[in-house]
Amino acid sequence: MSTPRPEDRPMNTPDPTLERWRLILGAPAESCTGPLHGTAAERDSALDWLYGRDEDLRRRGVRRPSGSRAGGTGPSQVTAVDWLDDIHRLFPKETVERLERDAVENYGVHEIVTDPDVLARVEPSQALLRAVLRTKHLMNPQVLAAARRIVDSVVRELMERLRPEVRQAFTGARSRRPSRLPLARDFDHRATIRANLAHYQPEQRRILIQRPHFHARTRRRLEQWQLVLLVDQSGSMAGSVIHSAVTAACLWSLPGLKTHLVAFDTEVVDLTSEVSDPVELLMGVQLGGGTDIARAVDYGAGLVENPRRTIVAIVSDFFEGGDPYRLVRTVRGLVEQGTTVLCLAALDEEADPVYDRALAGRLADAGAPVGAITPGRLAEFVAGKVGR
């Protein structure tokens, strides 16, 4: 079916392209695009409820309160509950998630995570989980109970996604020996083709497989290793705190690996006893405050039992509020005694870090590689060490 030409459109029917430009550019563009009507006007009102709070956009004239809300000051009297209902009705899911994230993270609309009526309507997401962790100190017991739904839902989703990656990392490498165990992931297509060439059918150009072949897996020689995760719980590290908790929970019950999880700001809190329940763990984390990485690394060094079979992973933005010289000295000491030290500027799905590059460079010079990593890649790295 061909797209209708503009001249074939009935009179008074809005032009979708002009409507989209009007939604992007705001009310000042109406002299060129014409006004909005119907659903498009509702979308604009919903966008203006949120982005009308942006003083920079107002100052530049990109967005301004629409005529339906003139006469008041600032955003309209529409509540966060009304707005959430509107955006879920007017926009696709991907747009709704972006609007909810902007509301909480950029414009401080804390009602989304502190109002029980709003929490009952909102779609759980990692952005909202980060918001819950940042604002739960503002919540009364009733709201905390509602917020737990978001924490539980997002953690369960992350666990379901990460567990297969961890399991695959720890199953062992393929060996050249054949196996009688028919597992799809161990299917040996080369050996199967060679063994069944006699059953090739030229007319149909295919091989009838009468006997499939499979690889065996090496059995990992598991000796006791330690993984010490030191996680910065300053506000900017919320995403890494979430993924560290979930990663530690996935690694917790693996044979041959003893996992510790330690959170820190200016204080150090050992959360190892709560690793098996990441929901409770995250509800107990308090984001914000200063940062004393040196103190946390000193604590982690005290947990090391066998230096040559220990991995210490420091998850931080490395903006040190404590003593950087002490931090570098302690890291160098761990490395010199044989401990593997990793400096992770981000541990999450995006692996997009913001960190103090000067201090990170000094830690790298001390023998601790610096980078960002996804939880799955960390599991692969740990599995490679443990399986040696």
Side-chain angles (χ1 to χ4, degrees), residues 127-244:
L128 290 174
L129 174 51
R130 291 193 295 270
V132 166
L133 297 185
R134 291 190 180 108
T135 58
K136 60 187 173 63
H137 64 284
L138 304 173
M139 301 178 186
N140 60 40
Q142 179 190 3
V143 179
L144 273 173
R148 187 178 293 273
R149 176 184 71 91
I150 292 175
V151 180
D152 182 70
S153 175
V154 177
V155 167
R156 186 165 56 248
E157 180 191 350
L158 287 172
M159 293 281 285
E160 288 173 358
R161 227 183 307 156
L162 183 57
R163 268 191 182 126
E165 294 184 45
V166 173
R167 194 179 302 119
Q168 182 177 0
F170 278 81
T171 50
R174 288 178 175 177
S175 76
R176 295 183 180 180
R177 294 182 294 103
S179 170
R180 294 183 181 180
L181 190 62
L183 294 176
R185 64 184 172 86
D186 295 333
F187 179 67
D188 186 346
H189 65 278
R190 296 181 185 223
T192 299
I193 291 172
R194 283 196 302 269
N196 292 275
L197 281 174
H199 309 298
Y200 179 65
Q201 298 179 320
E203 301 82 11
Q204 299 178 352
R205 302 184 68 181
R206 66 179 183 179
I207 296 174
L208 292 179
I209 297 177
Q210 294 190 351
R211 185 185 171 194
H213 286 246
F214 299 88
H215 290 287
R217 290 264 172 177
T218 58
R219 182 178 179 83
R220 288 194 181 277
R221 178 171 156 268
L222 296 179
E223 296 187 31
Q224 187 68 47
W225 274 74
Q226 278 182 284
L227 171 64
V228 182
L229 272 172
L230 304 173
V231 186
D232 184 344
Q233 61 177 352
S234 58
S236 61
M237 298 298 295
S240 293
V241 170
I242 293 165
H243 284 83
S244 295

Side-chain angles (χ1 to χ4, degrees), residues 230-234 237 241 264-265 290-291 293 315-318:
L230 304 173
V231 186
D232 184 344
Q233 61 177 352
S234 58
M237 298 298 295
V241 170
F264 67 90
D265 41 37
T291 308
I293 311 171
V315 185
S316 176
D317 56 15
F318 302 103

Side-chain angles (χ1 to χ4, degrees), residues 26-285:
E30 283 189 4
S31 60
C32 297
T33 64
L36 296 172
H37 302 280
T39 300
E42 291 184 89
R43 286 175 176 164
D44 185 61
S45 181
L47 293 172
D48 223 24
W49 184 90
L50 180 62
Y51 297 110
R53 301 162 188 267
D54 193 315
E55 292 298 330
D56 183 55
L57 291 180
R58 277 198 209 168
R59 189 166 52 250
R60 290 156 50 200
V62 177
R63 298 204 68 86
R64 66 169 183 258
S66 60
S68 62
R69 294 188 285 112
T73 57
S76 73
Q77 296 306 308
V78 173
T79 67
V81 176
D82 298 328
W83 180 73
L84 280 171
D85 286 342
D86 287 343
I87 64 173
H88 278 267
R89 175 173 54 86
L90 296 167
F91 296 101
K93 182 179 178 182
E94 296 78 8
T95 306
V96 169
E97 291 175 352
R98 172 61 185 269
L99 291 171
E100 290 176 342
R101 182 169 69 248
D102 284 351
V104 174
E105 296 188 349
N106 296 338
Y107 299 107
V109 186
H110 290 153
E111 303 99 293
I112 291 181
V113 288
T114 57
D115 184 321
D117 291 331
V118 179
L119 284 170
R121 289 168 168 78
V122 79
E123 188 73 23
S125 67
Q126 289 190 45
L128 290 174
L129 174 51
R130 291 193 295 270
V132 166
L133 297 185
R134 291 190 180 108
T135 58
K136 60 187 173 63
H137 64 284
L138 304 173
M139 301 178 186
N140 60 40
Q142 179 190 3
V143 179
L144 273 173
R148 187 178 293 273
R149 176 184 71 91
I150 292 175
V151 180
D152 182 70
S153 175
V154 177
V155 167
R156 186 165 56 248
E157 180 191 350
L158 287 172
M159 293 281 285
E160 288 173 358
R161 227 183 307 156
L162 183 57
R163 268 191 182 126
E165 294 184 45
V166 173
R167 194 179 302 119
Q168 182 177 0
F170 278 81
T171 50
R174 288 178 175 177
S175 76
R176 295 183 180 180
R177 294 182 294 103
S179 170
R180 294 183 181 180
L181 190 62
L183 294 176
R185 64 184 172 86
D186 295 333
F187 179 67
D188 186 346
H189 65 278
R190 296 181 185 223
T192 299
I193 291 172
R194 283 196 302 269
N196 292 275
L197 281 174
H199 309 298
Y200 179 65
Q201 298 179 320
E203 301 82 11
Q204 299 178 352
R205 302 184 68 181
R206 66 179 183 179
I207 296 174
L208 292 179
I209 297 177
Q210 294 190 351
R211 185 185 171 194
H213 286 246
F214 299 88
H215 290 287
R217 290 264 172 177
T218 58
R219 182 178 179 83
R220 288 194 181 277
R221 178 171 156 268
L222 296 179
E223 296 187 31
Q224 187 68 47
W225 274 74
Q226 278 182 284
L227 171 64
V228 182
L229 272 172
L230 304 173
V231 186
D232 184 344
Q233 61 177 352
S234 58
S236 61
M237 298 298 295
S240 293
V241 170
I242 293 165
H243 284 83
S244 295
V246 173
T247 302
C250 291
L251 295 171
W252 176 249
S253 59
L254 292 173
L257 185 64
K258 183 177 182 180
T259 304
H260 305 262
L261 181 63
V262 178
F264 67 90
D265 41 37
T266 53
E267 301 294 327
V268 177
V269 182
D270 196 325
L271 300 172
T272 303
S273 61
E274 300 176 37
V275 164
S276 58
D277 188 346
V279 174
E280 285 298 325
L281 190 155
L282 288 171
M283 291 302 288
V285 165

